[in-house]
Structure formats: structure tokens, C-alpha cells
Amino acid sequence: MAEVVVESLHKSFGAVEVLKGIDLAIADGEMMVVLGPSGCGKSTLLRLVAGLETVTSGEIRIGARRVNDLEPKDRDIAMVFQNYALYPHMTVYDNMAYGLRNRRVPRPEIERRVQEAARILGLGELLRRRPRELSGGQRQRVAMGRAIVREPEVFLFDEPLSNLDAKLRVQMRHEIRQLQARLGTTGIYVTHDQVEAMTLGDRLVVMNEGRIEQVGGPLEVYERPASLFVAGFIGSPPMNCFPARLGEDRARILLDGRSLPLAGPVAAEAGAELVVGVRPEHLEPADGGPLVLAVDWVEILGADTIAHGRIGEEVRICVRLPGATSIAAGDRLPLAVPPERLHLFDPRSGRRIDEKA
Amino acid sequence: MVENRPFLTFVAHALLILGILVVALPIWIVLVTSSQAPEDVLTAPIPMWFGERLVDNYLAVLGRGLTRSSSGPVAPMMLNSLIMAVSIAVGKIAISILSAFAIVYFRFPGRMLAFWTIFVTLMLPVEVRILPTFEVVANLGLLNSYAGLTIPLIASATATFLFRQFFMTVPDELAEAARVDGAGPMRFFLDILLPLSRTNIAALFVILFIYGWNQYLWPLLVTTDERYYTIVMAIQRMVTAADAEPEWHFIAAVAMLAMLPPVLVVLLMQRWFVKGLVETEK
Ligand SMILES: Nc1ncnc2c1ncn2[C@@H]1O[C@H](COP(=O)(O)OP(=O)(O)O)[C@@H](O)[C@H]1O
Ligand SMILES: [Mg+2]
């Protein structure tokens, strides 16, 4: 087991810079989820750690070792690919044993490890089958098995569940989490699915366009998004964001002549332009509330209802209300927000503005 | 339409049977001829049924050879043809698959140039480059040798293109998984690419075996020593034997023998294809 450290890592493909300076420290035994939209460089980061791509500049360490120039096989990692990448002509057993044979692990030891992995993953009956004779979920398990028999320092997962149907995905998510926790192996898990990220990770890295936006625990990322990008990316429906101005006392915001109190003074100049963020689930109907929503359409989802509309002239927001409500298009819905649920961002940098220390 | 149906069926079958007759009749005549005594072959109606000397004729051409056209026994010639066809098929497949492997999986300077150069050899069959190739082979002292018979025909890696196309359909992740699994490039090639290519290899083997077996012009040029004659060129020598009536009954037997191995290869390899298809289909 080992920690993984990435320092000012850059990666370019020709003239295109895909990773623009990544710094990240993953603790021993931790499951770190890398989350971001498609094309932001998640896979590239993972492949650099795996040694499948060469580093342009920066450093990668696994344990205490600098691994920049090591071949994948010498890095003590195991990787689970998105399309599983099982060897189609080999049996399940051989798929799992192949890496061990190349490493000249003695035969009885290979047998022991493969049987153990098959037992953990429930593949015992399938060892003589070929990948094409397996279902998607079973293939996924074989790919996992191939990773665990190696007993590596680090597991690397590149969207391993994206080819499964929704139900199986939930189940496999749970299995991967349990397995990783039980083996205590450090894990890096790449995904663009925020639900997967929130449920699987000890911590998340949110990436955008080759940079890290935020590193933190799932709740921390949800409750204190470090930037407008993270605020918009985490949560569904995404956070409502609209422009406003900071009041003279720096403890309230002004919006169309209305005023919303903040939890305390913040670290920005009085009268400054701001972007205010508030999650749809944190807006509460309240008689005489400061924000009045002119509802123009309603989505009833059963467990909750999402009302879309405008406040003031042009600010569009949505509200998530528990249960099925009787709100309809055309209603005017007064809303209140607890002050601690308001997020403020600098409109130029997009960074979060914190309370004054 | 219903009344027409039997008629249509009849026409369809008639056409098929006609097609088969057109293809099979000459072969039948050759087969029947190979069983006749020499006198019967040359008398007016061509015999359409077997004569008495089927076994005799075949034993004669295989073991003794043709007396009048002073051609030696055919058995060693068949061996020569076999050596030539197998060497060409195996050699070409080996060269092509390795060069395709290099072109697809390695980045080296001049990679595309190498590919196009190989591709251009597709347009240069032996017949086109026969004079310079003969010159080279003669200067290397390879006339009258198996090397001279086979190497110039192997030397164009025409199947490279085919393997390249196939390798490009193999997902990159497979190569990456193998790399993570500690397989070097040659291990990956042997353990993964080669087994995945086996239906392609079988198909190519059939095509190239027949190509090699049917070579006529090249063996005619580079061999003057009877020990290296191939069966296909031998037929021609028998027909044009100097100032003697061709021994058609023997020649027919040799022709039948020359047809046999390609047919066998097709039949044997067909079973391989089916196996490959069934396995991937599951
Ligand atoms: N081998 C490559 N050559 C050129 N560009 C690449 C290569 N691999 C990835 N890229 C580019 O790098 C960017 C990030 O890719 P990737 O890391 O795969 O994104 P994702 O976050 O979706 O996994 C994309 O714009 C992609 O086009
Ligand atoms: Mg990706």
C-alpha cells in the first residue's frame, strides 16, 4: 500500500496542453475520485499515473518512489479499463493469471490468488468461460479480478461502470467500494458521474479543462463549492446562480432592491458585484419570503417536485420541493433561504468568497 | 405466380446444373482420361467413362515418370511444389504480420513511408519485375535452389495491408492491459495478437498456398535442374515434349495430381474458418 503524489504535472499532446499543472496527494488506502466533464483530462491524469503516457513535466510518486520513467508493470499498479479490455481468446482464469505468469509468480501461488479473487467476486463457476460468454456485470468482475490478483499498491479505475445498465451500476459501485475498503488498497477512480463520485470517494477531485477546481470530501464539495464551476457541476438540478451586489455592511446582498441577510460579513469590498449561488433544494416556500418565484413550469418527479421560473425580470431559477405539491404554472411562490445556504462567488475569477476570518 | 413457381424452380436448377457442368465437365474428362490406355485416348469419341488403367497410370506417373517425354517421376515434383507453396505461404504470412505489427504498434521515423512502400509492392507482382529479380537471383547464385524458387515470391509483403487493417480494429486498451500485465511487445504479439489473428491467418494461408502452388513462370525461369521442377511447370514440359506424341493419359493423371493439394488445403482450412466463426459468434 502506498500514497500517490502528483506534483505540478503537465501533459501536452503536440501543441495542445491537456493537463495544466496538477498537484494532488492521495493518502495510503484512500479512494480518490476524479470527477469532471468529458474531455477535461481525467483519463489522461490516470494514464500518466499508470505509465501509459509519458509525463511532459512534473513528478509522480507512488510510495516514496519517483515513477516518471518506470514502465507500467514496474509501478505496482493495476488498472480497470472502461471497456474491460479482457483478452477475448483467454478463459476467465487465464485472463486473471496472465499478469502473474508474466511476473513469474509460482504456479501454486497463481492458483491460490485466482481462486481467492474468484471467491471474493463470485466468479467460481465461470473460470473456464471466455469473456464473450459472460454478461456485462460478470466481465466487469473479471476485470476487477484481474486487478486484485496482482495485489498492487494502487488501483486505477477509468469509468469502469459506464457500460453497465443503471441498476447494475449501483450494485457494482457498492461492490467496488467494499472491495477497495476491505483490501485497503489506495484507489484512483475516474468518472464523469457525480452520483458515482459522491458515493464512492473518500475525497473528490473536481477537474475542469486540465486544472483542479477543488479537492475535498463529498459533502465538503457539495456544501462549500470552491468555484462557480464546481457549484454548477455538483448537484442535480445544478445550483442557481445570479448576479447581485454586496451591501454596505458586507453582511447582506442586494438584489433588485430586495435584501438578503448573510450569515456574517464576507471578505469582499462593500458594494462589490457578486454571483450568488443557492441550491434548488435549499430554497423554502415562506409567506412573505424575500424572493418571489413566478412559476412557469413544474416537473413532478414523485419523491419531489421541481418548479422552474423567474425572480425579478430575467433571473431564472428552479426550486426543489419535497413530495408532490399543488404548485402550477402561473403561481407566484414566495421563497426564503437560510443565510448559511447562500454561496458567494467572485464574478471575474469564479472563486468562492468566504466569510471574513 | 403460383403456377409459375415450378417453372422458376426448374429454371433456377437448370442454370445451377449448367454452371456445375461447365466447371465440372473438363475436370471429369481429365479424370476419365487419366484412367485410359494410351490408344483409347486418341480414338474418335472421347471416352466419358473410366477405363481399366486408373491405378496403373497414377502409379506410373508418381513412381516412374513419362518415358516418351523423358520426364522423371512426379512424386518429387509434387514435393517441390509443396515446399514452394508452403514456404511462400508461411514466409509471406510471417513477414506481413510482423511488418503490420511494427507499423501499427510502434512509432518510428519513416513509419508511414515504410507502410506505403510495402503497399506499392502490391502493384508489382513477380511478372512485372521478373527481369531484375532474375538478375538478382542469378547473381546471388540462387538458380536451381529452393531459396531461389521461394524468396523472391515471399519478398513482397502484400498481406501486410490486411493485417494492418485487422490490427487497427483491435482495441488499444488490449495492448495497454497487456502492458500493465507486464507483457513486453513480443509477448503481446505472441500471446494476444497472434491468437486473435488465427482466422485471418487461415484465410491467407489458403490464398497464398494456392498462389504458390500455381506459380508457373518463375519456376520455369529459375530452374534448369530437374530436381527442382515443380508439378505445374512439369505439365507444360510434358505437353510440349520434343518430336513425340504427348502421352495424354499420363498428362491427365498429372493434372489431377496437381489439382489435389489446393483442394485439400481449402477443405482442411474451411473447417478452421468454421471453427473460428463459431467461436467468435457465441
Ligand atoms: N493520445 C492523444 N492525443 C491527442 N490528444 C489526446 C490524446 N488523448 C487525449 N487527448 C485529448 O486530451 C483531452 C482530454 O482527454 P481525456 O483525458 O481522455 O478526457 P476525459 O476527462 O474525458 O477522460 C481531450 O481533449 C482529448 O482529445
Ligand atoms: Mg476518459
Side-chain angles (χ1 to χ4, degrees):
Chain A
M1 263 135 273
E3 55 172 10
V4 178
V5 178
V6 171
E7 266 171 19
S8 53
L9 187 66
H10 290 256
K11 173 67 185 176
S12 305
F13 291 107
V16 186
E17 195 174 28
V18 174
L19 294 183
K20 301 162 185 168
I22 301 284
D23 288 279
L24 191 61
I26 301 162
D28 183 12
E30 185 178 32
M31 184 68 145
M32 180 68 97
V33 174
V34 181
L35 177 66
S38 190
C40 71
K42 310 179 295 287
S43 297
T44 306
L45 174 60
L46 197 74
R47 292 162 57 80
L48 282 165
V49 176
L52 295 171
E53 304 278 359
T54 51
V55 170
T56 304
S57 73
E59 182 164 296
I60 302 171
R61 288 195 302 273
I62 297 176
R65 264 188 326 164
R66 182 179 190 273
V67 297
N68 283 35
D69 303 316
L70 293 184
E71 270 290 300
K73 68 181 165 76
D74 301 321
R75 293 191 181 197
D76 223 345
I77 48 113
M79 186 150 172
V80 178
F81 294 86
Q82 178 168 359
N83 59 7
Y84 321 134
L86 301 177
Y87 310 120
H89 58 294
M90 293 187 194
T91 60
V92 168
Y93 185 97
D94 290 335
N95 261 286
M96 293 203 258
Y98 185 64
L100 300 178
R101 290 191 186 128
N102 284 335
R103 230 155 264 262
R104 307 194 189 289
V105 175
R107 198 177 271 267
E109 174 68 7
I110 294 180
E111 175 76 21
R112 188 190 66 73
R113 289 203 208 172
V114 173
Q115 292 297 350
E116 170 73 2
R119 195 183 55 72
I120 296 175
L121 294 163
L123 291 171
E125 309 289 295
L126 308 174
L127 285 176
R128 293 284 144 228
R129 297 232 194 132
R130 277 164 216 252
R132 69 177 153 269
E133 298 159 347
L134 304 177
S135 69
Q138 290 169 334
R139 283 180 208 185
Q140 176 60 59
R141 286 207 186 89
V142 177
M144 288 289 302
R146 190 164 65 176
I148 36 186
V149 293
R150 298 270 305 281
E151 299 177 358
E153 299 280 14
V154 185
F155 284 137
L156 304 175
F157 302 91
D158 192 351
E159 312 214 8
L161 304 183
S162 57
N163 288 349
L164 300 180
D165 60 55
K167 196 169 161 199
L168 204 51
R169 211 179 299 167
V170 174
Q171 185 192 338
M172 288 307 297
R173 196 159 78 201
H174 180 64
E175 285 185 21
I176 289 181
R177 180 68 182 136
Q178 278 196 320
L179 194 63
Q180 185 268 343
R182 174 160 145 205
L183 299 173
T185 309
T186 312
I188 307 181
Y189 188 108
V190 162
T191 180
H192 65 265
D193 179 335
Q194 48 161 315
V195 181
E196 219 166 280
M198 300 291 277
T199 50
L200 212 48
D202 293 315
R203 284 194 298 157
L204 314 187
V205 186
V206 184
M207 279 183 66
N208 183 32
E209 294 185 349
R211 290 204 170 78
I212 291 183
E213 292 277 334
Q214 185 171 9
V215 183
L219 268 185
E220 183 185 347
V221 171
Y222 173 82
E223 285 175 349
R224 295 181 57 81
S227 68
L228 269 173
F229 175 82
V230 178
F233 194 75
I234 306 268
S236 168
M239 186 184 279
N240 299 300
C241 293
F242 41 88
R245 190 175 290 279
L246 191 60
E248 286 305 318
D249 60 356
R250 300 191 213 167
R252 59 181 53 252
I253 52 169
L254 306 172
L255 174 73
D256 281 348
R258 279 174 301 257
S259 148
L260 290 178
L262 295 171
V266 297
E269 283 180 32
E273 302 274 349
L274 303 167
V275 174
V276 179
V278 55
R279 295 201 179 276
E281 53 271 39
H282 293 152
L283 286 160
E284 298 159 354
D287 289 334
L291 299 172
V292 179
L293 179 71
V295 179
D296 54 22
W297 60 292
V298 179
E299 294 175 285
I300 298 171
L301 303 175
D304 41 30
T305 301
I306 297 170
H308 300 259
R310 271 174 298 130
I311 49 172
E313 280 311 300
E314 45 204 46
V315 176
R316 293 203 60 90
I317 65 166
C318 64
V319 189
R320 177 187 224 133
L321 303 165
T325 58
S326 57
I327 295 164
D331 288 357
R332 295 182 70 77
L333 185 65
L335 298 165
V337 199
E340 67 277 10
R341 295 299 196 181
L342 285 171
H343 308 267
L344 301 183
F345 302 96
D346 182 322
R348 274 169 298 277
S349 68
R351 304 305 298 177
R352 179 182 190 85
I353 299 172
D354 280 310
E355 290 89 42
K356 223 170 177 173
Chain B
M1 290 308 277
V2 177
E3 301 94 312
N4 277 349
R5 221 179 236 164
F7 176 68
L8 279 180
T9 316
F10 171 77
V11 170
H13 278 87
L15 276 174
L16 285 174
I17 290 167
L18 192 70
I20 291 171
L21 281 182
V22 168
V23 175
L25 189 65
I27 296 175
W28 176 254
I29 292 175
V30 173
L31 181 60
V32 167
T33 307
S34 71
S35 68
Q36 306 292 331
E39 320 70 84
D40 298 332
V41 179
L42 294 173
T43 49
I46 346 170
M48 290 306 281
W49 195 247
F50 291 100
E52 248 89 274
R53 308 210 13 204
L54 187 70
V55 178
D56 289 347
N57 283 351
Y58 280 88
L59 286 180
V61 290
L62 278 172
R64 274 191 284 109
L66 281 64
T67 39
R68 251 186 279 165
S69 49
S70 67
S71 170
V74 173
M77 294 180 191
M78 287 187 78
L79 186 65
N80 286 343
S81 282
L82 189 72
I83 291 171
M84 184 169 173
V86 170
S87 312
I88 288 174
V90 171
K92 271 203 188 215
I93 289 173
I95 287 189
S96 304
I97 202 168
L98 283 170
S99 48
F101 176 55
I103 284 168
V104 176
Y105 287 95
F106 293 85
R107 283 197 203 104
F108 52 91
R111 177 164 145 267
M112 281 326 278
L113 181 73
F115 173 68
W116 285 110
T117 314
I118 291 168
F119 192 69
V120 163
T121 62
L122 277 171
M123 292 166 228
L124 293 175
V126 213
E127 288 76 11
V128 176
R129 55 186 164 90
I130 205 152
L131 285 176
T133 310
F134 181 82
E135 178 83 15
V136 169
V137 169
N139 287 343
L140 288 174
L142 293 179
L143 297 179
N144 287 319
S145 70
Y146 289 123
L149 270 176
T150 53
I151 291 173
L153 295 174
I154 291 174
S156 69
T158 40
T160 304
F161 186 68
L162 232 119
F163 282 118
R164 171 182 179 262
Q165 295 309 94
F166 171 67
F167 289 166
M168 290 189 356
T169 66
V170 174
D172 287 344
E173 281 86 351
L174 229 49
E176 290 172 350
R179 237 178 115 191
V180 175
D181 266 343
M186 279 330 277
R187 271 255 80 84
F188 169 67
F189 177 73
L190 291 174
D191 291 346
I192 291 158
L193 272 189
L194 213 52
L196 289 179
S197 310
R198 56 174 199 266
T199 27
N200 286 280
I201 292 176
L204 268 172
F205 186 84
V206 173
I207 294 166
L208 293 174
F209 181 89
I210 295 172
Y211 166 83
W213 184 270
N214 287 343
Q215 279 303 314
Y216 168 66
L217 192 56
W218 183 250
L220 205 59
L221 277 179
V222 292
T223 58
T224 47
D225 183 339
E226 199 166 317
R227 279 179 304 160
Y228 294 102
Y229 285 177
T230 64
I231 189 162
V232 175
M233 61 184 282
I235 296 174
Q236 186 270 349
R237 299 182 79 92
M238 292 168 189
V239 176
T240 59
D243 49 65
E245 205 52 55
E247 298 165 282
W248 289 115
H249 57 302
F250 285 156
I251 295 169
V254 176
M256 286 312 294
L257 288 174
M259 259 184 272
L260 211 56
V263 171
L264 279 181
V265 165
V266 170
L267 288 180
L268 281 175
M269 287 295 175
Q270 203 175 22
R271 293 174 60 190
W272 259 73
F273 292 150
V274 175
K275 203 170 148 218
L277 287 181
V278 170
E279 277 191 0
T280 37
E281 214 60 38
K282 253 188 216 163

